[in-house]
Amino acid sequence: PGVVIGLPALAVLRVVERTLEGKHGEGLLLAGGQLLTDQNRPAVLGAKMAYMWAIEAKQALAQLRPEESEKLYVEACALWEGVEAPANDVELSHGARVVARAPLKTPAAGIVGVFGLTTEVAQGTEGQVIEILSSGSVKVCWESGRDRTGVCKQRELSLLDDAPRRMLHAAMKGEPEGERRKLAILAAGRVRSVAIFLTKLPFFQ
C-alpha cells in the first residue's frame, strides 16, 4: 500500500529535481515545460499547502545537493513508507525528539483545540515531545518555520535519532549522516505529503 503513495511521490521528486537542474529559482518546472508558481497553481482545497510542501522539498534538496548514492536514498524514502520505525516501539519521554511518519492533521493544543481547530503537519516534520498524555497520546511542539503545538498518537511518530530503520536494500549505502540525512528525509517526506494530497483528488480515484 505504501507504494500507492510512493509512485506519485517519485513523480513529484522528479519535478523537484528537474526544477533544480534547470536552475529555476521560483516555482516548479513541470514535464511539459510549464513553470508552476504560487500565482498559477490550482485553487482546489489543499493545493496551497501541497505547493508549499513541494517548495520545501526543493529547498531541502538544493541545500543537500545530493551525490548519486544519496539520490538513491532520497528515492527510497519517497517510494517506501516506514523508513523509520514507529515511536511506540520504544518508551517516549518528555523532551524526546520526534518526526512525523506521515502527514498529520491533529487537534490543536490548548483552548483552541476545544473549538475543533487543527494543526496540519507534513510528513518528516521534526518536533519535541512536551507532554505525555493518556491513551497513548503526546503533545508535540513542531518545528516548521514557526512554533506550533498539537496532540497526536505515539504510533504516528518516530524517534528522530534512535529509531531502528527499514530501508530498501539498494539505498543502504547511500544513507547520508547527520544534518545531510535530516535534509534527505525532509525532502522525501514533503514529496510524499504532496503525493497523498494528489491521490485524494477526484481524477486520481
Side-chain angles (χ1 to χ4, degrees):
V3 179
V4 174
I5 303 301
L7 291 177
L10 277 181
V12 176
L13 181 61
R14 293 289 182 265
V15 169
V16 171
E17 291 173 338
R18 183 188 308 113
T19 305
L20 291 173
E21 290 170 1
K23 294 181 170 55
H24 288 274
E26 180 186 9
L28 300 164
L29 183 62
L30 304 182
Q34 305 96 329
L35 188 65
L36 183 69
T37 68
D38 193 37
Q39 285 69 46
N40 65 3
R41 61 168 174 77
V44 298
L45 183 65
K48 181 177 181 179
M49 183 67 71
Y51 178 80
M52 182 191 72
W53 288 337
I55 294 301
E56 289 178 356
K58 173 184 170 183
Q59 292 170 342
L61 283 182
Q63 185 175 348
L64 176 61
R65 299 176 64 182
E67 300 175 356
E68 287 302 316
S69 60
E70 292 174 328
K71 286 182 180 180
L72 290 177
Y73 176 84
V74 175
E75 289 177 358
C77 293
L79 178 65
W80 193 256
E81 184 181 17
V83 174
E84 303 289 349
N88 61 345
D89 288 348
V90 296
E91 187 68 26
L92 277 184
S93 59
H94 183 277
R97 300 280 301 164
V98 294
V99 61
R101 300 187 67 236
L104 302 176
K105 182 174 288 187
T106 67
I111 188 64
V112 293
V114 176
F115 297 100
L117 296 181
T118 59
T119 295
E120 292 188 355
V121 179
Q123 180 180 359
T125 300
E126 298 176 12
Q128 185 172 21
V129 175
I130 57 175
E131 186 177 350
I132 306 295
L133 305 173
S134 59
S135 304
S137 298
V138 293
K139 184 186 296 184
V140 178
C141 180
W142 298 104
E143 300 172 358
S144 54
R146 58 186 186 278
D147 288 342
R148 51 182 176 171
T149 60
V151 177
C152 54
K153 297 292 186 182
Q154 292 192 33
R155 65 175 179 268
E156 297 172 323
L157 307 171
S158 293
L159 282 173
L160 185 58
D161 298 316
D162 301 327
R165 300 187 297 280
R166 296 184 291 119
M167 285 300 305
L168 294 181
H169 180 72
M172 289 291 288
K173 293 183 180 180
E175 182 176 4
E177 298 180 352
E179 291 300 318
R180 294 183 64 80
R181 180 173 177 272
K182 292 180 181 180
L183 288 171
I185 291 178
L186 174 64
R190 292 302 190 263
V191 297
R192 280 189 66 88
S193 294
V194 176
I196 289 174
F197 162 76
L198 293 175
T199 58
K200 293 179 179 179
L201 295 177
F203 69 80
F204 201 95
Q205 303 301 316

